[in-house]
Amino acid sequence: MEEDERLSHRSSFGTAAAAYAEHRPDYARTAVRWALEPAPGPRVLDLGAGTGKLTATLIAVGADVTAVEPDPAMLTELRRALPAARALPGSAEAIPLPDASVDAVLAGNALHWFDMAVAGPEIARVLAPGGILAGLWNVMDDRIDWVAGLARVGGCAAIGPRDTPTGWRAETADAHLPETGVAARFGSPERAEFPHGQRRTADSLVATIATRAGMLVMPEREREATLGRIRAYLASRPETADGEFTLPMLTAVLRVRRL
């Protein structure tokens, strides 16, 4: 993805902040615990925190969390949902925290948006010695037949290259590395995947897919046509045609240690 395209995609979420807060899933607690396992202490930065989906899970597992989010609309939703959480404006490229002030930096469905040539040194700066950086992604489990069909019908704007397990493994292998010649600040990655799921109806799954960046930047006519195909597909499948169902997912984690 070209830099201009990446900027337009990552800045699109604020236009759908309320829908994002309502429809996006949380993260598997087992995945969050695994991400934090080697951290030298409990202080965690949720970087690119969005509306607080990962922040809430971190609080639930007992971490001492600070959330940082650049988009004002997303940050407003986070503060509304989690009024007791420490939530600050800022970005991966300009983190508003002192040196060595956290033991882990986690990013939920956000690490791929960071400019790691700038963000890598910033993340390393705020991490204590031995600190951990982990990216987490919720991906749809397309090993399930109807989910694979949904991916085909929706296309890459609706279910993109990081939204299924195989695609995630390929697309995020070097997500912790800068794209330029800047020295890497982190060691070799460890990766793991953890079962997860989200209760949905056909309507709420369509609403969830509509919050994806590829959909948000799509021309309105094309967007409505894509969502219409997805609605028709879900109506045609016995697994999703009536009432609630569980969307099969995995929370996938890439974990590295600060050098």
Side-chain angles (χ1 to χ4, degrees), residues 76-87:
T76 295
E77 290 293 334
L78 190 159
R79 288 170 169 163
R80 181 191 59 77
L82 301 168
R86 185 187 185 206

Side-chain angles (χ1 to χ4, degrees), residues 170-212:
E171 290 289 322
T172 64
D174 298 326
H176 60 296
L177 297 175
E179 293 181 4
T180 65
V182 176
R185 302 302 179 106
F186 304 96
S188 299
E190 301 172 274
R191 298 200 288 178
E193 299 164 5
F194 300 85
H196 196 29
Q198 185 186 24
R199 292 297 288 172
R200 297 280 82 186
T201 64
D203 286 344
S204 63
L205 180 52
V206 170
T208 305
I209 291 169
T211 67
R212 296 184 180 276

Side-chain angles (χ1 to χ4, degrees), residues 156-173:
C156 63
I159 301 175
R162 289 176 299 273
D163 295 332
T164 59
T166 301
W168 171 79
R169 294 181 201 116
E171 290 289 322
T172 64

Side-chain angles (χ1 to χ4, degrees), residues 41-107:
R43 302 169 301 169
V44 181
L45 167 60
D46 180 3
L47 189 56
T51 62
K53 297 296 183 177
L54 179 56
T55 309
T57 308
L58 285 163
I59 292 169
V61 302
D64 176 10
V65 190
T66 299
V68 168
E69 167 57 35
D71 187 281
M74 300 288 273
L75 187 59
T76 295
E77 290 293 334
L78 190 159
R79 288 170 169 163
R80 181 191 59 77
L82 301 168
R86 185 187 185 206
L88 305 174
S91 69
E93 295 78 17
I95 301 171
L97 295 179
D99 295 358
S101 58
V102 296
D103 301 297
V105 174
L106 269 60

Side-chain angles (χ1 to χ4, degrees), residues 25 111 147 183 219 248:
L111 187 63
V147 179

Side-chain angles (χ1 to χ4, degrees), residues 31 34 135 137 168 190-194 250-255:
W34 184 84
W137 290 264
W168 171 79
E190 301 172 274
R191 298 200 288 178
E193 299 164 5
F194 300 85
L250 302 168
T251 296
V253 188
L254 180 149
R255 182 178 74 185

